[in-house]
């Protein structure tokens, strides 16, 4: 008794499948192995604590910048707190913050968690709401006479560091 099909055509298909399947599986396994270190997960502070995100592994931390938490230090160092509804995490960053960075606004930081509640950011990306409009666009719209003040940015939406 044999498990091979009686038809030559069916045997040929089975042989092609038996040769191609391991090659395909090996290719997928190699691709997944190669991407293992390139994958960057996104966490909110509560998710990072809950998932026990690995220390010293690159990840993205997102949430709102806590009001009153931004402290600028010497040499361009900035420390602030990123929070969500359940938890907070202190972020250290050295460099220039984006123009849209401000307290109470959404932010995404890419870097590494260096201790349980401290995140060392290499990159800080600031989010803006749907009413944001670049100054150049506002100016161009005003020049065209199409300006609608109700669609302008909110008065409290000044970027961090600008006088209100």
């Amino acid at each position: 008794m044999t498990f091979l099909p009686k038809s030559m055509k069916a045997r040929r298909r089975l042989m092609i499948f038996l040769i191609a399947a391991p090659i395909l599986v090996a290719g997928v396994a190699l691709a997944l192995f190669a991407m293992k270190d390139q994958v960057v997960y996104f966490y909110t502070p509560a998710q990072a604590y809950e998932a026990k995100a690995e220390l010293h592994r690159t990840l993205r931390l997102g949430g709102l910048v806590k009001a009153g938490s931004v402290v600028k230090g010497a040499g361009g160092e900035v420390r602030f707190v990123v929070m969500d509804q359940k938890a907070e995490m202190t972020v250290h960053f050295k460099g220039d913050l984006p123009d849209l960075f401000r307290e109470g606004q959404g932010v995404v930081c890419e870097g590494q968690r260096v201790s349980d509640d401290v995140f060392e950011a290499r990159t800080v990306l600031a989010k803006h709401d749907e009413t944001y409009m670049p100054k150049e666009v506002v100016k161009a719209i005003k020049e065209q006479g199409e300006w609608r003040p109700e669609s302008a940015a909110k008065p409290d939406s000044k970027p961090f560091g600008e006088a209100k």
Side-chain angles (χ1 to χ4, degrees):
M1 182 172 168
T2 179
F3 291 103
L4 292 175
K6 292 181 182 176
S7 159
M8 284 301 290
K9 192 174 181 180
R11 284 183 181 196
R12 195 173 313 135
R13 285 187 199 152
L14 180 63
M15 294 305 280
I16 290 171
F17 174 77
L18 290 176
I19 292 170
I23 293 171
L24 184 64
V25 169
V28 169
L30 282 173
L32 291 174
F33 181 75
M35 291 185 341
K36 184 178 85 177
D37 292 334
Q38 302 300 321
V39 176
V40 178
Y41 294 103
F42 175 85
Y43 294 101
T44 64
Q47 290 171 338
Y49 289 125
E50 189 175 302
K52 297 179 182 160
E54 283 183 54
L55 298 178
H56 307 291
R57 181 181 172 115
T58 301
L59 59 99
R60 290 187 180 142
L61 180 72
L64 298 174
V65 178
K66 185 177 181 179
S69 69
V70 179
V71 178
K72 288 189 173 186
E77 287 188 35
V78 180
R79 188 176 55 222
F80 54 95
V81 174
V82 173
M83 62 180 219
D84 60 9
Q85 302 257 338
K86 299 176 183 174
E88 300 177 350
M89 190 173 288
T90 302
V91 176
H92 291 186
F93 176 69
K94 186 173 183 177
D96 294 327
L97 290 169
D99 291 340
L100 296 173
F101 181 87
R102 59 183 165 253
E103 296 173 348
Q105 193 70 27
V107 68
V108 176
C109 305
E110 185 170 319
Q112 297 179 344
R113 195 170 163 203
V114 293
S115 70
D116 282 345
D117 59 347
V118 177
F119 186 83
E120 196 77 41
R122 287 190 314 257
T123 306
V124 175
L125 304 171
K127 293 179 171 180
H128 57 79
D129 61 7
E130 67 279 355
T131 60
Y132 170 75
M133 193 175 299
K135 291 178 188 175
E136 296 83 12
V137 175
V138 171
K139 183 179 175 187
I141 291 174
K142 282 182 178 178
E143 288 174 358
Q144 293 174 354
E146 296 289 329
W147 177 247
R148 286 180 241 150
E150 66 274 1
S151 65
K154 298 173 189 169
D156 63 338
S157 62
K158 295 270 185 192
F160 177 76
E162 267 189 30
K164 291 187 177 183

